[in-house]
Amino acid sequence: MTASLTITRPDDWHLHLRDGAVLRAVLPATARHFARAIIMPNLVPPVVTGADAAAYRDRIRAALPHGQDFTPLMTLYLTEDTDPDDVADAHAAGLIAAVKLYPAGATTNSASGVRDFDRVRPVLERLADLGLPLCVHGEVSDAEVDIFDREAVFIDRVLDPIRRATPGLRVVLEHVTTREGLEYVRSADTGLGATITAHHLVINRNHLLSGGIRPHYYCLPVAKRETHRRALVAAATSGDARFFLGTDSAPHVNAAKETACGCAGCFTAPNAMAVLAHVFEAEEALERLEGFTSINGAGFYGMAQNTGSLTLVRGDEAASCPPSIPTEDGPVTVFDPGFPLHWSVSE
Ligand code: DOR
Ligand code: ZN
């Protein structure tokens, strides 16, 4: 039996595109399915100023294949030296859609992130005044905190104090992975949303560690216990508008993943929509897929919904997805959900 589902064209509210050869290789996969994406600024060196964001946006536009329609929504990487006036100017010029907070040391290329949260108070106050969202990598980086607890500890020690001290600050808790994170988002009256990735809806920590270490399932925040994965599926498929898709598709060439100290990141851009259709169908929630991928995030960011559409088709045969994509720097492995994908995007 073939089924099909047509939805408003989706957006990806958390995406890594990198730069140079990898950017050119991975961008088409996102632009095929998504109208817009929030572009993460953790390049080396990071995208810190409005001028950096304009230059990076232009490189993304230049890498877009002719005929593909895609809008990069740029972000600034918050450092302890970020100038609130530069943020305000970039916002006024329509250059940026959010500012990204990485606690220093929490993840890939986060060394320039924030160590002392008091030092970014003036920027946070300005964001609240402007109504410009703060996207948050919600993990502490303290060596003594267990890696599986870092999200919950971050909420208690950092995020909740910041939100209490900054009324009106709009915050996206990025790639939420725990029941504690979901509960925190639900407990807020307003101004707090969360992105959920496709991969955290289908893998738990056993996929990463049981029967051999699987570097292509290593991402940050690290996948948690099955109970947390179940809670994420429930939240994503619930229709609650505070939860929306941010794939955190994070390409690294295989040589950087399959090594003694591999990088964090799952490259999900090519099959995120197919994986999501599978998950929502299994929950008998296909009618809520559109809200999660195409409606809720635009609402949170105060942007219009896309006018185009995307059609997913379900075939009896499993659809084939290339296991990796080539780049001039080497192949990048595509996320393997571990089950056959019957859904595919009709192109
Ligand atoms: O898995 C991840 N990869 N998590 C992050 O927070 C960063 C990202 C990357 O840039 O590779
Ligand atoms: Zn990310």
Side-chain angles (χ1 to χ4, degrees), residues 9-13 30 34-38 69-73 294 298 303-306:
R9 193 148 177 246
D11 298 308
D12 184 349
W13 298 99
T30 287
F34 298 93
R36 301 173 289 201
I38 288 275
D69 173 24
F70 173 73
T71 303
L73 303 170
S294 318
M303 294 182 191
Q305 291 165 21
N306 298 313

Side-chain angles (χ1 to χ4, degrees), residues 14 16 40 100 102 175 248 250:
H14 182 133
H16 298 267
M40 288 297 125
K100 174 73 188 235
Y102 288 104
H175 40 51
D248 199 13

Side-chain angles (χ1 to χ4, degrees), residues 16 18 42 102 107-108 137 175 219-220 248 250 252 264-266:
H16 298 267
R18 315 302 187 202
N42 62 334
Y102 288 104
T107 187
T108 312
H137 183 105
H175 40 51
C219 62
L220 287 171
D248 199 13
H252 294 277
C266 297

